[in-house]
Amino acid sequence: MADSKETSVESAGGSRSRSADHELLRAVFQRFPLPVVLLDRDAVVRRLNEAAAGLFGMREGYASGRGLTGALAHAERAAFRSQVAAVARDEGGRSLTVRLLRPPGPRHWAGLELRTTLTPLRPPREPHVSVVAVFQQGSSASPEGRAPVPSRAASPAADTAGSITRHTEMMDVVDDMTAALLSAPSADGVVDSAGAVLHPALADWVIVDLAAQPGGREQDSAGRRAVFTGGGHEELRRAVASMRPEDSPVVETAMRKGAETLQAHPENADVLGRTADGTPLLERADVSSLLCVPLRAGREAPVIGALTLLRCGARRPFELAEAGAVDRIARHVVLALDGR
């Protein structure tokens, strides 16, 4: 009996010791000064530390279960994914250079090469090898002449203030849209007004697709596409305008199924289709975030088109609150079209 009690005490002490060691290792991981991400074989995030959260502009709860390649420049995603898979197959550690698609933290991260070291990790009681990715500044010099320091993830207070600011901005856009639609003289004027308000306030690219309307007005019989973007992109704007909605998966889904698509960090290069030269629009326009909503007067009403918004480069990705506001704007656009 005494031996049993002693064994029980020793077992409890061992469990407490292992728990304390686990907490210590977790604290070291979280406070490690370099960005560190634990990935699975498909480059999907399992865990990241505070420095990585600052580097990639995402909280751990948001990042877990999402592909890390969505935060990287388009041209480097395939190589990164391939190298992670090789390490996960236990083919040894390796390193490569990557760039961020958009710098969410301090501006001195912008344009820097990040040297990424990939190392296999064999978690106990797990059948598959995981991959530890450590990111460091590459050979490019910082514009300020100093090594970049990743920012910490935003505090709850900062998040709240930012949310209030963005909500106010969205209400201003909705108000401007209402005034523009009420004063639009024609159906074409409605579309032009919507594009003028949404670009550049909400997006770098605004694409309005109207489906063919059998039995409708002559000008609606073949469908229409209007594209709005900034100066200096006229050639690409014409290329986008010539693309068919059915060749863009997100637009086709919105128009055929009435489904909304929000991708903060799109990974599929073909999600927007390809231009006539075979280049994915996602890569050619440097799209970092996209939002596509169906054009309809209500949830049960027929879909008459789609409204697609694209953000590029370093611009902040779309959020759910913005998607809700754009959905209401789309409904107002349809009501304005019906009244013309």
Side-chain angles (χ1 to χ4, degrees):
M1 182 70 70
D3 290 345
S4 176
K5 289 182 178 179
E6 289 176 2
T7 301
S8 177
V9 170
E10 290 176 359
S11 176
S15 297
R16 285 194 295 270
S17 177
R18 286 192 297 272
S19 177
D21 290 343
H22 178 78
E23 290 301 318
L24 176 61
L25 290 174
R26 182 179 177 85
V28 170
F29 172 78
Q30 287 295 336
R31 291 170 173 76
F32 194 71
L34 293 176
V36 181
V37 184
L38 181 64
L39 303 166
D40 69 9
R41 62 176 65 187
D42 298 316
V44 172
V45 177
R46 297 186 57 187
R47 185 168 297 170
L48 77 172
N49 67 356
E50 293 179 0
L55 173 62
F56 295 109
M58 55 180 73
R59 303 185 190 86
E60 181 173 358
Y62 171 85
S64 298
R66 298 177 182 270
L68 186 67
T69 52
L72 305 181
H74 296 292
E76 294 158 4
R77 295 179 180 183
F80 182 83
R81 192 182 290 111
S82 174
Q83 294 298 326
V84 169
V87 175
R89 290 194 299 268
D90 213 9
E91 296 178 4
R94 54 199 64 200
S95 64
L96 71 162
T97 300
V98 299
R99 292 180 186 272
L100 297 182
L101 178 65
R102 52 181 298 275
R107 282 294 176 182
H108 51 261
W109 278 101
L112 287 177
E113 291 183 348
L114 299 177
R115 194 68 182 173
T116 308
T117 303
L118 304 175
T119 307
L121 177 69
R122 298 168 183 80
R125 297 183 297 277
E126 291 192 15
H128 302 297
V129 174
S130 296
V131 178
V132 177
V134 181
F135 296 85
Q136 305 177 66
Q137 180 184 355
S139 58
S140 300
S142 168
E144 288 86 355
R146 63 178 186 276
V149 179
S151 62
R152 288 180 173 270
S155 66
D159 286 344
T160 301
S163 297
I164 293 173
T165 299
R166 289 193 289 275
H167 177 75
T168 302
E169 293 172 348
M170 284 304 307
M171 291 303 98
D172 289 341
V173 172
V174 172
D175 182 63
D176 291 343
M177 180 64 73
T178 301
L181 295 179
L182 289 173
S183 59
S186 63
D188 287 338
V190 167
V191 173
D192 290 342
S193 296
V197 171
L198 293 173
H199 173 272
L202 281 187
D204 297 298
W205 289 79
V206 177
I207 304 171
V208 182
D209 285 293
L210 296 178
Q213 302 296 314
R217 294 168 297 185
E218 181 178 352
Q219 62 266 36
D220 295 332
S221 60
R224 288 181 291 165
R225 164 169 278 205
V227 181
F228 305 88
T229 188
H233 300 288
E234 184 55 31
E235 180 182 354
L236 182 55
R237 191 200 68 78
R238 288 196 300 268
V240 175
S242 67
M243 296 172 64
R244 299 180 304 171
E246 55 267 32
D247 293 334
S248 174
V250 293
V251 176
E252 195 270 343
T253 298
M255 296 178 71
R256 185 168 61 87
K257 298 182 179 179
E260 176 183 302
T261 300
L262 168 61
Q263 295 188 12
H265 300 286
E267 293 192 52
N268 181 1
D270 291 322
V271 70
L272 292 169
R274 293 174 177 255
T275 55
D277 63 359
T279 305
L281 176 58
L282 188 81
E283 296 181 0
R284 190 168 174 185
D286 191 28
V287 176
S288 57
S289 181
L290 68 89
L291 172 62
C292 182
V293 301
L295 287 171
R296 57 186 173 187
R299 289 294 177 186
E300 304 304 321
V303 176
I304 69 165
L307 174 61
T308 306
L309 306 183
L310 309 177
R311 286 180 178 169
C312 305
R315 193 158 182 174
R316 175 177 53 82
F318 287 109
E319 300 175 349
L320 287 175
E322 292 173 313
V326 172
D327 185 62
R328 290 194 294 273
I329 287 174
R331 187 169 67 251
H332 295 166
V333 169
V334 174
L335 293 175
L337 287 171
D338 287 343
R340 295 305 187 275

